[in-house]
Amino acid sequence: MFPKIYRLQADGNTLLVTRNMTPGRTYYGEPTYMVDGVEYRSWNPTRSKLAAAVMKGVGHMPVRPGAMVLYLGAASGTTVSHVSDILGGTGHVWALDFAPRALRDLLDKVARYRQNVSPILGDANRPMEYSHLVPMVDVVFADVAQPNQAEIVVKNASMYLKEGGWAMLSIKSRSVDVRRKPRDVYDAQVEVLEAGGLKVRELVELDPYEKDHAMALAESA
């Protein structure tokens, strides 16, 4: 397992959990568990592509304590809240989404209580528009339901990703091309990432947690 990401035996099951940065407060109705006086939050892999990748045995985990992360497609903050747990007080996540309602939920439920989360209302297709808010980062994470998902990652990585940093793309094959086989879509998105100067190190299919999804992990050259 990776730093600040744990497996917990509870209720006869093996659960993925993160240590709650705000004990006593949950964000989307997730169960919590006390172990030796420490509160852990259940991290559901059917509601988080990052959790699904961990459960599927991904070999690299750039989201680690102290990292600086640009998260594209943050929605209301389900996964962002767990990323916040992992990063801890020395890391930070800039959480971007284009939907005002989702950003309000992210602000009210997550960022208000966590100093390492900064919500941004913006369009991931236009990275220049939030350049005054986001520094160079260690990780660009994208969970965007757009046909040009890989191009969005390349654009943002070229602006914000440090040398030796990582890009993580949750590939939604049905958002790219519903007519093609998911594996063909994954391969095509990998080609776009590599043409954009990123070296793909891993591609993990997320079934059965997320149907027709895969996670690509790429390192900056």
Side-chain angles (χ1 to χ4, degrees), residues 159-176:
M159 281 200 63
Y160 298 113
L161 191 59
K162 297 177 183 177
E163 184 177 350
W166 288 80
M168 303 179 71
L169 170 60
S170 171
I171 303 171
K172 307 168 186 281
S173 68
R174 298 307 180 194
S175 294
V176 177

Side-chain angles (χ1 to χ4, degrees), residues 5-219:
I5 302 174
Y6 310 95
R7 292 185 191 272
L8 178 68
Q9 295 294 327
D11 305 323
N13 298 306
T14 300
L15 306 176
L16 197 65
V17 299
T18 56
R19 181 170 178 169
N20 193 358
M21 195 175 184
T22 55
R25 181 172 295 279
T26 59
Y27 295 92
Y28 54 97
E30 70 276 21
T32 60
Y33 302 90
M34 294 295 295
V35 179
D36 297 330
V38 176
E39 185 176 273
Y40 295 87
R41 302 166 54 225
S42 178
W43 192 7
N44 188 340
T46 67
R47 297 189 62 174
S48 169
K49 316 302 189 304
L50 185 56
V54 174
M55 293 297 286
K56 287 301 297 283
V58 68
H60 300 84
M61 181 47 62
V63 178
R64 57 173 63 97
M68 303 292 152
V69 177
L70 172 59
Y71 193 117
L72 308 173
S76 60
T78 296
T79 298
V80 168
S81 69
H82 290 283
V83 169
S84 169
D85 283 343
I86 297 165
L87 301 181
T90 59
H92 202 91
V93 53
W94 287 265
L96 180 136
D97 204 275
F98 69 90
R101 173 60 184 272
L103 257 291
R104 283 198 299 270
D105 288 344
L106 174 62
L107 174 61
D108 291 341
K109 296 179 181 179
V110 182
R112 188 181 303 278
Y113 306 99
R114 291 172 175 251
Q115 295 184 351
N116 66 352
V117 178
S118 293
I120 300 173
L121 180 65
D123 183 350
N125 275 292
R126 300 177 178 179
M128 277 296 297
E129 293 185 354
Y130 41 91
S131 61
H132 61 296
L133 299 172
V134 181
M136 297 298 286
V137 297
D138 304 296
V139 183
V140 172
F141 185 98
D143 185 8
V144 290
Q146 299 290 334
N148 61 330
Q149 294 165 22
E151 289 91 342
I152 287 172
V153 169
V154 169
K155 285 181 188 179
N156 282 270
S158 66
M159 281 200 63
Y160 298 113
L161 191 59
K162 297 177 183 177
E163 184 177 350
W166 288 80
M168 303 179 71
L169 170 60
S170 171
I171 303 171
K172 307 168 186 281
S173 68
R174 298 307 180 194
S175 294
V176 177
D177 192 338
V178 71
R179 298 163 298 178
R180 298 174 67 187
K181 294 180 180 178
R183 183 69 207 199
D184 292 341
V185 173
Y186 305 153
D187 291 343
Q189 293 289 285
V190 165
E191 289 178 6
V192 173
L193 294 175
E194 297 207 322
L198 298 165
K199 181 61 178 177
V200 176
R201 302 296 187 189
E202 226 178 331
L203 180 69
V204 180
E205 296 191 29
L206 303 184
D207 295 80
Y209 302 108
E210 294 284 355
K211 183 174 174 58
D212 299 330
H213 283 66
M215 181 75 70
L217 292 92
E219 197 170 6

